[in-house]
Amino acid sequence: MRMCSRSILLLFFAMLASESIGLPQEPVSGIEPRSLPVPDANDPGFSLEQLQKLALENNPTLVQARAETWKAYGKQQQAGLYPNPVLGYSGQEIGSGGTAGMQGFYVSQQFITGGKLELSRAVAFREQQQAEQVVSAQEFRIVNGVRREYYDLLTVNRKIQLAEDLLNIAIESQTQTERRLQGMQGSRIDVLQARLERERVHLELETLKVEREAISRRLKVLAGIHQEGELIVAGDLEADVPDLDWESALSRLLESSPSIAQAEAGVYRAAAVWQRAKAEPIPDVTLQAGTMHNFETNRQIANVQVSLPIPVFNKNQGNISAAEAEWIRASHEVERVRKSLERELADVFRGYAQQRIRVMKFNTEILPASWETLDLSRKALAAEEINSLQFLSVQRSYTGFNQEYVEALGEIWRQIVAIDGLLLLDGFQAPASIP
């Protein structure tokens, strides 16, 4: 009895040791994002690269996206684990002949057949691939969100600069009209018009400052900067505006989009689920071995049992059919995502092309002509060929053209960010959860 019991216990612990060997544990260090030292927000010269780096370090959605990969890894690890062995006690014919009857222990183990564990791991592996694309998409959203706000801030800064220049001219014009009125060379109407023009420009300037404050706050939130005060950035709105073409932009989008890659991984996942469903009816084998001592005859008894289900009625046919339908849906999801992105890119590229035409037109014709008109008007004012209000009108026209030019530059950068960023923009959009 001792030898048999010892053998069963050794078998039991050996099975426990063998089944405890699974996939290597992936360290989960770095769940909390590492925070970089935040520069002084009042120090001129925040570059786009600095802001994007800070955003990647501090944005909580990126940690959420990475958690999807950790979740998929955990599911992959769990899918490859064998069922636990069962250790039990058995007592029979207790009291027979005034004895304890037969008493003993047994151990049983279910053996998974048909490669079902490997197929389950394959499903989880494809989920992990999908989760990795979620991380990639979220990184694009974060850096693109920062880049868009960065160029919006450069744009409003230029608008404010133009408005300040125009306000100085409006103040100077008002002063001149008041002097002319004192010298009996002007009229009260001229003075009132000059004052109204000054107030109009001042109102526009104050409105632009409020807009800049809002953009600055949004950018600080995206970058994870908590200091008070205006955020000052370094950069040139007109520097290195890229010349994009439709075919290259479309090709890059279709080849590099994380959304398409995630949909493609979904096809492989659906195929793996389908294969796993077809393997489910293959019977698993359960082996049970034990030993009992018959106290009535004082003999040691061993027993062995082998069992397996017979797939007569339930062949998993419903789940197989459902998995096949899911594979069909996933296969067409790739094409749906591709066409959806191509349609969205067409709208964005249209905006880019339109704004590029405007920028080129302003650069080559409108602004040079406007500047020449302003220069001639300045000389005419000095020669007293026109009055200050007429010169102010020319100046307003020149400033208005420059403002339109700046608006076109700001808008073209918004479209460039969308195109370069694979149409992924919202830095705080919740990352997709892998089903």
Side-chain angles (χ1 to χ4, degrees):
M1 176 179 178
R2 291 180 178 176
M3 291 299 294
C4 292
S5 300
R6 183 180 301 171
S7 299
I8 292 173
L9 289 175
L10 288 175
L11 174 63
F12 170 71
F13 287 115
M15 294 173 69
L16 282 179
S18 65
E19 297 309 326
S20 65
I21 302 174
L23 296 175
Q25 282 286 344
E26 178 177 299
V28 292
S29 60
I31 293 180
E32 294 296 329
R34 181 174 60 88
S35 297
L36 293 178
V38 180
D40 183 2
N42 293 313
D43 183 19
F46 261 105
S47 68
L48 175 61
E49 291 74 17
Q50 287 175 317
L51 294 169
Q52 289 174 329
K53 188 175 183 180
L54 286 170
L56 288 172
E57 291 290 340
N58 293 288
N59 195 298
T61 65
L62 188 56
V63 183
Q64 290 180 311
R66 289 171 180 162
E68 287 293 322
T69 65
W70 303 330
K71 181 175 72 174
Y73 173 81
K75 294 174 68 175
Q76 183 183 5
Q77 184 183 34
Q78 185 65 36
L81 299 179
Y82 238 82
N84 290 324
V86 177
L87 176 65
Y89 159 80
S90 178
Q92 300 179 19
E93 300 183 12
I94 299 174
S96 175
T99 66
M102 295 185 295
Q103 299 189 34
F105 295 91
Y106 66 89
V107 62
S108 66
Q109 175 65 52
Q110 183 183 22
F111 294 92
I112 308 301
T113 63
K116 290 193 282 290
L117 290 181
E118 289 76 11
L119 291 171
S120 296
R121 280 195 294 263
V123 173
F125 173 72
R126 297 303 181 182
E127 291 179 2
Q128 190 171 21
Q129 287 184 319
Q130 287 183 292
E132 289 169 357
Q133 295 305 322
V134 171
V135 174
S136 178
Q138 203 62 27
E139 289 174 346
F140 270 104
R141 289 190 181 97
I142 292 170
V143 298
N144 293 335
V146 170
R147 192 181 180 198
R148 173 166 281 195
E149 297 291 356
Y150 168 83
Y151 281 110
D152 283 352
L153 189 55
L154 289 181
T155 301
V156 76
N157 283 339
R158 283 287 300 274
K159 289 181 179 179
I160 289 174
Q161 182 182 1
L162 290 171
E164 288 174 343
D165 292 341
L166 184 58
L167 179 61
N168 291 332
I169 293 175
I171 293 173
E172 182 181 354
S173 177
Q174 179 184 345
T175 302
Q176 290 179 357
T177 54
E178 290 174 349
R179 288 175 181 173
R180 289 172 63 86
L181 179 62
Q182 292 174 358
M184 307 298 291
Q185 296 179 351
S187 66
R188 178 68 177 170
I189 295 176
D190 293 338
V191 174
L192 291 175
Q193 286 182 333
R195 288 179 181 176
L196 289 174
E197 177 64 17
R198 185 198 66 184
E199 292 302 324
R200 186 194 67 80
V201 177
H202 185 267
L203 177 61
E204 181 180 356
L205 178 60
E206 293 301 313
T207 303
L208 288 172
K209 287 181 178 179
V210 173
E211 181 181 353
R212 178 173 63 182
E213 187 176 5
I215 297 173
S216 177
R217 287 171 178 168
R218 293 201 304 264
L219 186 51
K220 285 193 289 185
V221 170
L222 279 171
I225 298 174
H226 303 291
Q227 284 92 336
E228 295 294 331
E230 179 186 342
L231 183 65
I232 302 176
V233 297
D236 186 358
L237 196 62
E238 297 177 273
D240 301 325
V241 177
D243 183 10
L244 306 179
D245 69 274
W246 166 256
E247 295 299 331
S248 298
L250 178 61
S251 176
R252 179 174 178 270
L253 176 65
L254 298 182
E255 291 176 1
S256 305
S257 172
S259 302
I260 296 177
Q262 183 181 342
E264 290 173 342
V267 177
Y268 290 111
R269 177 189 178 276
V273 171
W274 188 14
Q275 293 298 319
R276 178 62 179 83
K278 289 191 288 186
E280 183 65 24
I282 301 175
D284 296 330
V285 178
T286 301
L287 173 64
Q288 178 176 309
T291 182
M292 303 182 71
H293 184 73
N294 190 329
F295 288 91
E296 185 176 2
T297 62
N298 199 27
R299 296 179 60 186
Q300 191 72 23
I301 301 172
N303 62 76
V304 177
Q305 293 183 11
V306 178
S307 64
L308 71 161
I310 302 175
V312 176
F313 305 109
N314 181 2
K315 299 180 181 180
N316 206 39
Q317 54 266 44
N319 289 331
I320 293 174
S321 178
E324 181 181 7
E326 177 61 23
W327 174 79
I328 294 173
R329 191 208 65 82
S331 299
H332 288 79
E333 175 67 6
V334 176
E335 188 65 16
R336 186 200 69 80
V337 173
R338 291 171 65 92
K339 290 185 179 298
S340 176
L341 290 176
E342 184 173 353
R343 182 187 63 181
E344 185 177 353
L345 180 65
D347 289 337
V348 174
F349 200 89
R350 177 200 60 196
Y352 162 80
Q354 290 173 337
Q355 298 305 323
R356 182 169 180 80
I357 291 173
R358 292 186 66 197
V359 168
M360 293 179 64
K361 195 73 171 178
F362 274 107
N363 263 324
T364 58
E365 297 183 22
I366 297 177
L367 291 184
S370 178
W371 169 253
E372 184 179 2
T373 303
L374 178 66
D375 186 52
L376 293 174
S377 299
R378 185 180 288 111
K379 294 176 182 179
L381 179 66
E384 296 187 354
E385 296 175 357
I386 62 174
N387 58 39
S388 57
L389 287 180
Q390 290 174 314
F391 176 73
L392 179 61
S393 176
V394 174
Q395 176 64 34
R396 282 184 58 187
S397 177
Y398 173 77
T399 306
F401 286 136
N402 275 273
Q403 288 176 334
E404 288 186 49
Y405 171 65
V406 171
E407 289 175 358
L409 278 174
E411 191 60 32
I412 200 173
W413 273 114
R414 290 179 68 85
Q415 310 306 329
I416 290 170
V417 171
I419 295 169
D420 286 347
L422 306 177
L423 306 178
L424 299 167
L425 297 172
D426 187 357
F428 284 116
Q429 178 178 325
S433 180
I434 304 302

